[in-house]
Short mmCIF file of all heavy atoms in Angstrom, two decimals:
data_model
loop_
_atom_site.label_atom_id
_atom_site.label_comp_id
_atom_site.label_asym_id
_atom_site.label_seq_id
_atom_site.Cartn_x
_atom_site.Cartn_y
_atom_site.Cartn_z
N HIS A 858 -10.59 -15.92 -17.45
CA HIS A 858 -11.50 -15.97 -16.32
C HIS A 858 -11.11 -14.87 -15.33
O HIS A 858 -9.99 -14.84 -14.83
CB HIS A 858 -11.45 -17.34 -15.62
CG HIS A 858 -11.72 -18.47 -16.55
ND1 HIS A 858 -12.97 -19.02 -16.70
CD2 HIS A 858 -10.90 -19.16 -17.40
CE1 HIS A 858 -12.92 -20.00 -17.59
NE2 HIS A 858 -11.67 -20.10 -18.02
N ALA A 859 -12.05 -13.97 -15.06
CA ALA A 859 -11.78 -12.85 -14.16
C ALA A 859 -13.08 -12.45 -13.47
O ALA A 859 -14.17 -12.74 -13.95
CB ALA A 859 -11.22 -11.67 -14.95
N PRO A 860 -13.00 -11.77 -12.33
CA PRO A 860 -14.22 -11.30 -11.65
C PRO A 860 -15.02 -10.36 -12.53
O PRO A 860 -14.46 -9.48 -13.18
CB PRO A 860 -13.67 -10.57 -10.41
CG PRO A 860 -12.30 -11.11 -10.22
CD PRO A 860 -11.78 -11.43 -11.57
N MET A 861 -16.31 -10.56 -12.56
CA MET A 861 -17.18 -9.71 -13.38
C MET A 861 -17.74 -8.54 -12.58
O MET A 861 -18.24 -7.57 -13.15
CB MET A 861 -18.32 -10.54 -13.96
CG MET A 861 -17.85 -11.68 -14.86
SD MET A 861 -16.87 -11.11 -16.26
CE MET A 861 -18.13 -10.23 -17.18
N ALA A 862 -17.70 -8.62 -11.26
CA ALA A 862 -18.25 -7.56 -10.42
C ALA A 862 -17.15 -7.01 -9.51
O ALA A 862 -16.11 -7.66 -9.29
CB ALA A 862 -19.40 -8.09 -9.58
N LYS A 863 -17.36 -5.83 -9.01
CA LYS A 863 -16.41 -5.21 -8.11
C LYS A 863 -16.35 -5.99 -6.80
O LYS A 863 -17.38 -6.26 -6.20
CB LYS A 863 -16.83 -3.76 -7.84
CG LYS A 863 -15.82 -2.96 -7.03
CD LYS A 863 -16.26 -1.51 -6.91
CE LYS A 863 -15.24 -0.71 -6.13
NZ LYS A 863 -15.64 0.72 -6.01
N LEU A 864 -15.15 -6.34 -6.38
CA LEU A 864 -14.99 -7.13 -5.17
C LEU A 864 -15.21 -6.26 -3.93
O LEU A 864 -15.02 -5.05 -3.95
CB LEU A 864 -13.60 -7.75 -5.13
CG LEU A 864 -13.24 -8.69 -6.29
CD1 LEU A 864 -11.83 -9.20 -6.13
CD2 LEU A 864 -14.23 -9.84 -6.37
N HIS A 865 -15.59 -6.93 -2.82
CA HIS A 865 -15.86 -6.19 -1.57
C HIS A 865 -14.59 -5.56 -1.02
O HIS A 865 -14.57 -4.40 -0.60
CB HIS A 865 -16.47 -7.12 -0.53
CG HIS A 865 -16.73 -6.46 0.79
ND1 HIS A 865 -17.65 -5.44 0.94
CD2 HIS A 865 -16.17 -6.66 2.01
CE1 HIS A 865 -17.66 -5.04 2.19
NE2 HIS A 865 -16.78 -5.76 2.86
N VAL A 866 -13.50 -6.33 -0.99
CA VAL A 866 -12.20 -5.82 -0.57
C VAL A 866 -11.31 -5.75 -1.79
O VAL A 866 -11.10 -6.75 -2.48
CB VAL A 866 -11.56 -6.72 0.51
CG1 VAL A 866 -10.18 -6.18 0.90
CG2 VAL A 866 -12.46 -6.81 1.73
N LEU A 867 -10.77 -4.58 -2.08
CA LEU A 867 -10.03 -4.38 -3.31
C LEU A 867 -8.53 -4.57 -3.10
O LEU A 867 -7.98 -4.19 -2.07
CB LEU A 867 -10.28 -2.97 -3.85
CG LEU A 867 -11.74 -2.63 -4.17
CD1 LEU A 867 -11.85 -1.20 -4.63
CD2 LEU A 867 -12.27 -3.58 -5.24
N ALA A 868 -7.90 -5.21 -4.08
CA ALA A 868 -6.45 -5.32 -4.09
C ALA A 868 -5.89 -4.15 -4.90
O ALA A 868 -6.61 -3.43 -5.58
CB ALA A 868 -6.03 -6.66 -4.68
N ARG A 869 -4.58 -3.97 -4.85
CA ARG A 869 -3.94 -2.85 -5.52
C ARG A 869 -2.68 -3.29 -6.24
O ARG A 869 -1.94 -4.14 -5.78
CB ARG A 869 -3.54 -1.77 -4.49
CG ARG A 869 -4.71 -1.12 -3.78
CD ARG A 869 -5.26 0.03 -4.55
NE ARG A 869 -6.49 0.55 -3.95
CZ ARG A 869 -7.15 1.60 -4.43
NH1 ARG A 869 -6.68 2.25 -5.49
NH2 ARG A 869 -8.26 2.00 -3.85
N GLN A 870 -2.45 -2.72 -7.42
CA GLN A 870 -1.14 -2.80 -8.04
C GLN A 870 -0.21 -1.92 -7.22
O GLN A 870 -0.62 -0.89 -6.69
CB GLN A 870 -1.19 -2.31 -9.49
CG GLN A 870 -2.18 -3.04 -10.37
CD GLN A 870 -1.76 -4.46 -10.70
OE1 GLN A 870 -0.64 -4.87 -10.40
NE2 GLN A 870 -2.65 -5.23 -11.29
N LEU A 871 1.04 -2.32 -7.11
CA LEU A 871 1.93 -1.66 -6.16
C LEU A 871 3.17 -1.12 -6.85
O LEU A 871 3.85 -1.84 -7.59
CB LEU A 871 2.34 -2.66 -5.08
CG LEU A 871 2.81 -2.10 -3.74
CD1 LEU A 871 1.71 -1.30 -3.08
CD2 LEU A 871 3.26 -3.23 -2.84
N HIS A 872 3.44 0.15 -6.60
CA HIS A 872 4.71 0.75 -7.00
C HIS A 872 5.63 0.66 -5.79
O HIS A 872 5.56 1.49 -4.88
CB HIS A 872 4.50 2.20 -7.43
CG HIS A 872 5.73 2.85 -7.99
ND1 HIS A 872 6.79 3.22 -7.19
CD2 HIS A 872 6.08 3.17 -9.26
CE1 HIS A 872 7.73 3.76 -7.93
NE2 HIS A 872 7.32 3.74 -9.18
N ARG A 873 6.48 -0.35 -5.76
CA ARG A 873 7.22 -0.67 -4.55
C ARG A 873 8.09 0.47 -4.03
O ARG A 873 8.06 0.76 -2.81
CB ARG A 873 8.06 -1.93 -4.75
CG ARG A 873 7.31 -3.23 -4.46
CD ARG A 873 6.94 -3.38 -3.00
NE ARG A 873 8.10 -3.29 -2.13
CZ ARG A 873 8.91 -4.31 -1.85
NH1 ARG A 873 8.66 -5.52 -2.37
NH2 ARG A 873 9.93 -4.16 -1.05
N PRO A 874 8.92 1.13 -4.83
CA PRO A 874 9.74 2.20 -4.25
C PRO A 874 8.91 3.28 -3.58
O PRO A 874 9.23 3.74 -2.47
CB PRO A 874 10.51 2.75 -5.48
CG PRO A 874 10.56 1.59 -6.42
CD PRO A 874 9.25 0.88 -6.25
N ASP A 875 7.81 3.68 -4.22
CA ASP A 875 6.94 4.70 -3.65
C ASP A 875 6.29 4.21 -2.36
O ASP A 875 6.24 4.92 -1.35
CB ASP A 875 5.87 5.10 -4.67
CG ASP A 875 4.90 6.14 -4.12
OD1 ASP A 875 5.29 7.32 -4.04
OD2 ASP A 875 3.77 5.77 -3.78
N PHE A 876 5.81 2.97 -2.38
CA PHE A 876 5.12 2.42 -1.21
C PHE A 876 6.09 2.22 -0.05
O PHE A 876 5.76 2.50 1.11
CB PHE A 876 4.44 1.11 -1.56
CG PHE A 876 3.64 0.53 -0.43
CD1 PHE A 876 2.39 1.05 -0.12
CD2 PHE A 876 4.14 -0.51 0.33
CE1 PHE A 876 1.64 0.53 0.93
CE2 PHE A 876 3.41 -1.03 1.39
CZ PHE A 876 2.16 -0.51 1.68
N ASP A 877 7.29 1.72 -0.34
CA ASP A 877 8.27 1.49 0.72
C ASP A 877 8.64 2.79 1.43
O ASP A 877 8.78 2.82 2.66
CB ASP A 877 9.52 0.84 0.14
CG ASP A 877 9.31 -0.61 -0.24
OD1 ASP A 877 8.14 -1.04 -0.32
OD2 ASP A 877 10.30 -1.31 -0.49
N ARG A 878 8.80 3.87 0.67
CA ARG A 878 9.12 5.15 1.29
C ARG A 878 7.99 5.64 2.20
O ARG A 878 8.23 6.15 3.29
CB ARG A 878 9.42 6.20 0.20
CG ARG A 878 10.75 6.01 -0.49
CD ARG A 878 11.08 7.21 -1.35
NE ARG A 878 10.13 7.35 -2.46
CZ ARG A 878 10.31 6.84 -3.66
NH1 ARG A 878 11.39 6.10 -3.91
NH2 ARG A 878 9.42 7.02 -4.62
N GLU A 879 6.73 5.44 1.75
CA GLU A 879 5.60 5.89 2.56
C GLU A 879 5.46 5.04 3.82
O GLU A 879 5.14 5.56 4.89
CB GLU A 879 4.32 5.82 1.73
CG GLU A 879 3.06 6.25 2.47
CD GLU A 879 3.07 7.72 2.88
OE1 GLU A 879 3.96 8.47 2.41
OE2 GLU A 879 2.19 8.12 3.68
N LEU A 880 5.70 3.73 3.71
CA LEU A 880 5.63 2.86 4.89
C LEU A 880 6.65 3.29 5.92
O LEU A 880 6.35 3.38 7.12
CB LEU A 880 5.87 1.41 4.47
CG LEU A 880 6.01 0.38 5.59
CD1 LEU A 880 4.75 0.34 6.46
CD2 LEU A 880 6.31 -1.00 5.01
N ALA A 881 7.88 3.60 5.49
CA ALA A 881 8.91 4.05 6.41
C ALA A 881 8.52 5.38 7.04
O ALA A 881 8.72 5.60 8.24
CB ALA A 881 10.25 4.17 5.69
N ARG A 882 7.94 6.28 6.24
CA ARG A 882 7.53 7.58 6.77
C ARG A 882 6.46 7.42 7.85
O ARG A 882 6.52 8.06 8.91
CB ARG A 882 7.00 8.47 5.64
CG ARG A 882 6.71 9.91 6.07
CD ARG A 882 5.89 10.64 5.04
NE ARG A 882 4.52 10.13 4.97
CZ ARG A 882 3.56 10.44 5.83
NH1 ARG A 882 3.82 11.25 6.86
NH2 ARG A 882 2.34 9.94 5.70
N VAL A 883 5.48 6.55 7.60
CA VAL A 883 4.41 6.33 8.57
C VAL A 883 4.97 5.70 9.85
O VAL A 883 4.59 6.08 10.97
CB VAL A 883 3.31 5.43 7.96
CG1 VAL A 883 2.34 4.94 9.03
CG2 VAL A 883 2.56 6.19 6.87
N ALA A 884 5.89 4.76 9.70
CA ALA A 884 6.50 4.13 10.88
C ALA A 884 7.25 5.15 11.72
O ALA A 884 7.12 5.19 12.95
CB ALA A 884 7.43 3.00 10.45
N GLU A 885 8.03 6.01 11.06
CA GLU A 885 8.78 7.03 11.79
C GLU A 885 7.83 8.04 12.45
O GLU A 885 8.10 8.53 13.55
CB GLU A 885 9.75 7.72 10.86
CG GLU A 885 10.93 6.85 10.46
CD GLU A 885 11.94 7.59 9.63
OE1 GLU A 885 11.69 7.82 8.42
OE2 GLU A 885 13.00 7.95 10.18
N GLN A 886 6.74 8.33 11.78
CA GLN A 886 5.76 9.25 12.34
C GLN A 886 5.15 8.68 13.62
O GLN A 886 4.81 9.42 14.55
CB GLN A 886 4.67 9.53 11.30
CG GLN A 886 3.72 10.65 11.67
CD GLN A 886 2.73 10.93 10.55
OE1 GLN A 886 2.02 10.04 10.08
NE2 GLN A 886 2.67 12.18 10.11
N ARG A 887 5.03 7.37 13.69
CA ARG A 887 4.50 6.72 14.89
C ARG A 887 5.51 6.67 16.02
O ARG A 887 5.16 6.38 17.16
CB ARG A 887 4.04 5.30 14.55
CG ARG A 887 2.77 5.24 13.72
CD ARG A 887 2.30 3.80 13.54
NE ARG A 887 1.04 3.72 12.83
CZ ARG A 887 -0.16 3.85 13.40
NH1 ARG A 887 -0.22 4.06 14.70
NH2 ARG A 887 -1.25 3.77 12.68
N GLY A 888 6.79 6.89 15.70
CA GLY A 888 7.81 6.90 16.75
C GLY A 888 8.96 5.95 16.52
O GLY A 888 9.90 5.91 17.33
N VAL A 889 8.93 5.17 15.44
CA VAL A 889 10.04 4.27 15.13
C VAL A 889 11.25 5.11 14.73
O VAL A 889 11.13 6.07 13.97
CB VAL A 889 9.67 3.30 13.99
CG1 VAL A 889 10.88 2.45 13.58
CG2 VAL A 889 8.51 2.40 14.41
N ARG A 890 12.39 4.75 15.24
CA ARG A 890 13.62 5.48 14.91
C ARG A 890 14.39 4.73 13.83
O ARG A 890 14.49 3.51 13.86
CB ARG A 890 14.49 5.62 16.15
CG ARG A 890 15.73 6.47 15.90
CD ARG A 890 16.39 6.81 17.22
NE ARG A 890 17.40 7.84 17.03
CZ ARG A 890 17.87 8.59 18.01
NH1 ARG A 890 17.40 8.44 19.22
NH2 ARG A 890 18.80 9.49 17.78
#
């Protein structure tokens, strides 16, 4: 049993090491030290 149509809000498979590095980069870009 799975969705047959494209959902309105999409989820994502996650590559954690890559995503964690980008999250930290974005936070530092905003001013987090």
